[in-house]
Amino acid sequence: MAAGVVSVLGFAPGADAQSALPSETSGTSPSAKTEPEADALAQKSQKLEVPRPAVSAKAPKQERVPQEDPTVEPNARKGCRVDARFSGLWPRVDAVTFHPTTLEERAAFAKLIPALLAAAPKQKDVPPELTNVAASVGFFLETWTTPRDTFWVLRERPDGYHGAGAYVVRTGEATEDVVQVPHPYFDIGTEDIGAGLFSCPPEGRAPRLFMTATAHRYHGTPGETPEDPEHPADVAHNPEHLFQTVTDLTARSLPAPRVVQLHGFGESKVQKGRTETLTAVVSDGSRTPGAWARRVSAPLDEALGRGVKLFPEGVQVLGGTQNAQARLLQAYPQALFLHLEMSSRTRKALARPARLERLGQILFAPLED
């Protein structure tokens, strides 16, 4: 069983991407640092990161991809740690110029996802013919080897960031669980929680797939605001996005997938008029919660602190009933979906390894018949 999550960097996996933009959800912004502190942090991160090129529509800046430190022995640190390369899945906000999913991307991923999911339990080498398929639509298909796992990673080329998402497949033994992070940059901390849950799961309960958006949900068109009627970069509400395509292909490829999708909310709006603290909201995207949502609610209430509510019985907000992935998976009787909304305080508390470990134990526990 994972003893905890330790980042090899001086910050959590998504911190550089998160600091690029304040979260409208939590209403917080990155803390100001003194000049010596900033210099010290810069020197520390430079030792652990190597540069890679990126294209920005505004100002050309150098994109950096964290790499595993070759001087760190696998057993030199206690517990599990998130591979530093996960933070590179989230480019700087201004490095991404969003464009809608193309027919070519859909066709390529219709080959990639089923083939990768079929091969993953049996081998650690990427099927060589798939590398060219990924490259044909501007994606890298990489192999990441860590002391615990071998991952296959589909991510956009840095010279063509367009918000198509990033997808990580675990090879070897794994469950049919899927971890999704639809709102990086906005639901601050969900990147790190998702990467931690996927990378350091409970013993014998390792999820097969990690999926994340790679663009800010409100940066789909120039000048876009949260009040606009449509948000093409918001993967949780755009059924035409490649993220939805991958979810659909996964539901077709795995016998009984369980998808947990991580969200965040700010207390200022939700707590208004409430007498008790709302810590988290559990839902399956419908108004008639199923077995998985009901099963996890009580233990989450104990693990995260009192205030975890099951939608719609315990609370009438944040139920995800308009969620694109929830609606899609309702068409697959063998698939399950869990929509987990967490307050900003809860997300901060999950930076503690013991709490994150307990969250994984609850979410990924097998459902008894």
Side-chain angles (χ1 to χ4, degrees), residues 98-100 216-225 228 230-233:
F98 180 80
H99 72 63
H216 190 286
R217 65 186 297 190
Y218 297 137
H219 283 201
T221 57
E224 183 177 338
T225 70
D228 291 344
E230 295 185 357
H231 305 286

Side-chain angles (χ1 to χ4, degrees), residues 19-42:
S19 65
L21 192 72
S23 168
E24 294 93 335
T25 308
S26 62
T28 59
S29 60
S31 302
K33 298 184 181 295
T34 63
E35 202 167 302
E37 288 175 327
D39 291 342
L41 182 59

Side-chain angles (χ1 to χ4, degrees), residues 49 75 91 98 159 204 208 225 264 273 302 311 315 322 325 327 334 341:
E49 300 178 351
N75 297 323
F98 180 80
D159 58 358
R208 177 64 72 192
T225 70
E302 296 179 4
F311 176 89
V315 69
Q322 303 301 311
Q325 288 74 54
R327 291 186 165 192
Q334 83 284 8
E341 286 272 6

Side-chain angles (χ1 to χ4, degrees), residues 23 25-26 179-182 186-194 197 260-267 270-271 278-282 300 304 307-309 318 339-351 355-356 359 363:
S23 168
T25 308
S26 62
V179 178
Q180 293 186 340
V181 177
F186 189 76
D187 293 348
I188 289 180
T190 54
E191 306 97 321
D192 307 326
I193 296 168
L197 287 173
V260 56
Q261 193 173 97
L262 305 174
H263 293 265
F265 65 88
E267 289 90 336
V270 176
Q271 290 292 154
L278 189 61
T279 301
V281 177
V282 179
L300 283 178
L304 301 180
V308 175
K309 302 296 182 183
L318 304 174
H339 185 275
L340 180 59
E341 286 272 6
M342 297 169 285
S343 71
S344 57
R345 291 183 183 181
T346 299
R347 282 172 274 144
K348 290 175 183 176
L350 286 169
R355 288 207 173 190
L356 188 58
L359 178 62
L363 294 177

Side-chain angles (χ1 to χ4, degrees), residues 277-339:
T277 300
L278 189 61
T279 301
V281 177
V282 179
S283 170
D284 63 6
S286 76
R287 300 196 66 85
T288 55
W292 192 19
R294 292 185 179 279
R295 183 73 58 87
V296 303
S297 295
L300 283 178
D301 193 52
E302 296 179 4
L304 301 180
R306 300 300 177 184
V308 175
K309 302 296 182 183
L310 176 65
F311 176 89
E313 297 171 6
V315 69
Q316 293 291 319
V317 295
L318 304 174
T321 56
Q322 303 301 311
N323 185 281
Q325 288 74 54
R327 291 186 165 192
L328 169 69
L329 293 174
Q330 288 167 4
Y332 292 92
Q334 83 284 8
L336 296 176
F337 179 80
L338 191 73
H339 185 275

Side-chain angles (χ1 to χ4, degrees), residues 11-288:
F11 48 84
D16 184 53
Q18 294 165 7
S19 65
L21 192 72
S23 168
E24 294 93 335
T25 308
S26 62
T28 59
S29 60
S31 302
K33 298 184 181 295
T34 63
E35 202 167 302
E37 288 175 327
D39 291 342
L41 182 59
Q43 292 174 5
K44 183 175 182 181
S45 63
Q46 287 171 2
K47 291 178 182 178
L48 293 168
E49 300 178 351
V50 295
R52 73 178 179 190
V55 176
S56 171
K58 297 180 180 178
K61 296 181 181 178
Q62 194 172 43
E63 186 74 17
R64 295 179 181 273
V65 179
Q67 301 292 324
E68 284 294 90
D69 186 345
T71 65
V72 177
E73 294 295 330
N75 297 323
R77 300 175 183 269
K78 293 182 179 180
C80 176
R81 57 193 173 96
V82 175
D83 190 287
R85 288 168 288 189
F86 271 85
S87 65
L89 297 180
W90 296 285
R92 292 189 324 274
V93 172
D94 62 358
V96 180
T97 301
F98 180 80
H99 72 63
T101 301
T102 65
L103 293 176
E104 291 77 12
E105 286 174 325
R106 293 189 202 284
F109 271 72
K111 297 177 182 177
L112 288 165
I113 298 301
L116 291 172
L117 292 176
K122 301 176 288 188
Q123 64 191 71
K124 295 187 180 299
D125 294 328
V126 172
E129 68 277 9
L130 297 182
T131 303
N132 289 336
V133 176
S136 70
V137 288
F139 272 77
F140 287 133
L141 176 52
E142 302 173 326
T143 300
W144 291 359
T145 302
T146 76
R148 292 168 58 101
D149 290 290
T150 297
F151 300 125
W152 295 338
V153 183
L154 279 163
R155 64 181 183 89
E156 298 162 292
R157 291 176 54 89
D159 58 358
Y161 287 137
H162 58 283
Y167 310 93
V168 184
V169 178
R170 172 181 270 106
T171 65
E173 183 179 354
T175 68
E176 293 171 359
D177 291 325
V178 179
V179 178
Q180 293 186 340
V181 177
H183 298 148
Y185 314 102
F186 189 76
D187 293 348
I188 289 180
T190 54
E191 306 97 321
D192 307 326
I193 296 168
L197 287 173
F198 181 75
S199 300
C200 300
E203 187 75 26
R205 303 302 306 170
R208 177 64 72 192
L209 180 63
F210 177 75
M211 301 172 54
T212 181
T214 52
H216 190 286
R217 65 186 297 190
Y218 297 137
H219 283 201
T221 57
E224 183 177 338
T225 70
E227 290 71 34
D228 291 344
E230 295 185 357
H231 305 286
D234 185 348
V235 302
H237 296 91
N238 178 9
E240 301 303 317
H241 196 283
L242 185 63
F243 195 93
Q244 182 85 335
T245 301
V246 174
T247 302
D248 187 43
L249 292 167
T250 300
R252 294 171 182 269
S253 301
L254 297 180
R258 297 193 307 178
V259 177
V260 56
Q261 193 173 97
L262 305 174
H263 293 265
F265 65 88
E267 289 90 336
S268 58
K269 292 183 179 180
V270 176
Q271 290 292 154
K272 189 174 182 180
R274 293 184 179 276
T275 57
E276 59 177 344
T277 300
L278 189 61
T279 301
V281 177
V282 179
S283 170
D284 63 6
S286 76
R287 300 196 66 85
T288 55

